[in-house]
C-alpha cells in the first residue's frame, strides 16, 4: 500500500508536469509568458516579411533585364528532341474494338490538330518552301507560316476520321522541340511499309526560326505524319519503330539519351 508521503510526491509530479505546459500562477504557456510569445512571433513576422521583400525585390530587378519578345540568351540548340503524337510509346490497336482505339488515339490526335485546321491556318502567312523565314528583330509580333492539316493527307483526320486506326494502318505524327535547327530531314527504320506526309518526310525550313511564345503567338510546329501500312500478315506482331532527325551536326545516336534527335515506339495491330 502506498504511503501518504508517496501519494503527495505523485501529486506534486503531476502538478509540475501540468505547470510545464501551462502555469496558472504565473500565466506561462510552455515556459513563456504571453508578452514573451508575442515578442517572438513579432520577430519572426518581421524577419520573414523582410526575406519575402528581398526575394520580391531581386525578382523585380531581374525581370527588368528581360524582354518579353527577345530571349536573353539566343544560343542555338544543336540537337533537337523528337516526339510523337499520340503521346504513347506503346500503340496497341484492336480494330475490333473501335471505342477503345478512338478514346486512346483518335480523340487525342483530333484534339492536337485543332490548331492546324485550314480555317485557322489561313490567318497565317503563306511562306516560300525551302527558305528560312527570318524576321526583323525590331518587329515585336512575328508572323507565322501556314501549316494546314490537309498537308497530312490521309493522316489528317479529314478524309479518314479514324486516322487509319479503323483499318489497322495507324498514323503517327512526328514533331520536334520548338528550337531553331539547321537540318530537317527525317527517316524511320522500315520494319513495316510506311507512307510519309508531306511526301518528302521533311520539316521545311520556312517554319524556322522560332521566336518564342510571346512574339510568335500563332506559331504551330511543323509535322510529319507516318502511316504504318500494316498488312494482315503482321497482325499480332509487335513492331519496334525508330524515327530520327538526320543531317549534319545532328546527334541522334547517343545511347545515354534515347530521345535526342530520335524517338522509338512499339506498334501492335490485332483483331
Amino acid at each position: 500500500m502506498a504511503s501518504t508521503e508517496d501519494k503527495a510526491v505523485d501529486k506534486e509530479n503531476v502538478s509540475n508536469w501540468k505547470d510545464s505546459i501551462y502555469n496558472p500562477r504565473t500565466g506561462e504557456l510552455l515556459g513563456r509568458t504571453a508578452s514573451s510569445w508575442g515578442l517572438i512571433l513579432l520577430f519572426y513576422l518581421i524577419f520573414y516579411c523582410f526575406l519575402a521583400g528581398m526575394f520580391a525585390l531581386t525578382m523585380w530587378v531581374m525581370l527588368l533585364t528581360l524582354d518579353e519578345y527577345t530571349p536573353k540568351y539566343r544560343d542555338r540548340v544543336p540537337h533537337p528532341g523528337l516526339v510523337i503524337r499520340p503521346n504513347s510509346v506503346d500503340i496497341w490497336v484492336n480494330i475490333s474494338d473501335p471505342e477503345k482505339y478512338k478514346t486512346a488515339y483518335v480523340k487525342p490526335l483530333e484534339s492536337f490538330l485543332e490548331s492546324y485546321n485550314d480555317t485557322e491556318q489561313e490567318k497565317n502567312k503563306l511562306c516560300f518552301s525551302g527558305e528560312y523565314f527570318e524576321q526583323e528583330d525590331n518587329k515585336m509580333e512575328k508572323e507565322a507560316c501556314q501549316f494546314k492539316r490537309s498537308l497530312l493527307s490521309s493522316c489528317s483526320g479529314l478524309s479518314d476520321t479514324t486516322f487509319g486506326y479503323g483499318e489497322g494502318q495507324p498514323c503517327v505524327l512526328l514533331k520536334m522541340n520548338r528550337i531553331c535547327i539547321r537540318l530537317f530531314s527525317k527517316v524511320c527504320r522500315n520494319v513495316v511499309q510506311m507512307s510519309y506526309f508531306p511526301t518528302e518526310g521533311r520539316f521545311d525550313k520556312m517554319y524556322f526560326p522560332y521566336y518564342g511564345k510571346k512574339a510568335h503567338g500563332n506559331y504551330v510546329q511543323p509535322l510529319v505524319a507516318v502511316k504504318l501500312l500494316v498488312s494482315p500478315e503482321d497482325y499480332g506482331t509487335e513492331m519496334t519503330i525508330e524515327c530520327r532527325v538526320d543531317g549534319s551536326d545532328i546527334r541522334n545516336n547517343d545511347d545515354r539519351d534515347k530521345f535526342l534527335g530520335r524517338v522509338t515506339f512499339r506498334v501492335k495491330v490485332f483483331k
Side-chain angles (χ1 to χ4, degrees), residues 126-132 145 204-206:
L126 186 61
C127 301
F128 295 101
S129 179
E131 298 181 10
Y132 291 107
C145 294
D204 200 288
K205 293 180 179 180
M206 65 181 175

Side-chain angles (χ1 to χ4, degrees), residues 25-185:
R25 296 185 301 274
T26 61
E28 293 180 345
L29 178 65
L30 298 176
R32 290 184 180 275
T33 62
S35 60
S36 177
W37 279 115
L39 289 174
I40 291 175
L41 292 175
L42 180 61
F43 168 77
Y44 280 107
L45 177 64
I46 296 174
F47 177 68
Y48 284 115
C49 286
F50 173 76
L51 291 181
M54 285 292 294
F55 177 77
L57 178 63
T58 55
M59 289 296 294
W60 177 71
V61 172
M62 184 194 71
L63 291 174
L64 288 178
T65 67
L66 301 179
D67 189 326
E68 289 184 329
Y69 295 91
T70 305
K72 187 175 181 65
Y73 299 103
R74 306 178 68 177
D75 297 336
R76 186 177 301 280
V77 180
H79 309 301
L82 194 64
V83 295
I84 64 169
R85 292 291 183 273
N87 189 17
S88 175
V89 294
D90 292 311
I91 301 176
W92 299 157
V93 184
N94 184 351
I95 59 178
S96 300
D97 190 356
E99 189 63 33
K100 188 171 184 179
Y101 68 68
K102 284 181 180 179
T103 300
Y105 308 119
V106 175
K107 289 182 180 179
L109 284 173
E110 182 63 40
S111 177
F112 173 72
L113 287 174
E114 285 182 357
S115 58
Y116 291 84
N117 286 335
D118 289 12
T119 53
E120 291 294 322
Q121 289 302 306
E122 285 172 357
K123 302 173 184 177
N124 292 335
K125 183 178 178 63
L126 186 61
C127 301
F128 295 101
S129 179
E131 298 181 10
Y132 291 107
F133 186 33
E134 296 185 359
Q135 303 176 59
E136 298 177 1
D137 289 339
N138 59 5
K139 186 179 180 181
M140 295 295 109
E141 298 289 342
K142 309 297 184 184
E143 294 181 288
C145 294
Q146 294 182 12
F147 190 101
K148 296 181 178 181
R149 65 184 292 180
S150 57
L151 293 173
L152 303 177
S153 188
S154 60
C155 285
S156 65
L158 299 176
S159 58
D160 177 7
T161 56
T162 69
F163 296 91
Y165 288 83
E167 59 181 352
Q169 297 186 340
C171 290
V172 174
L173 306 181
L174 303 176
K175 71 185 187 75
M176 293 183 296
N177 293 342
R178 288 185 174 185
I179 60 176
C180 183
I181 67 170
R182 291 294 180 187
L183 264 295
F184 306 95
S185 62

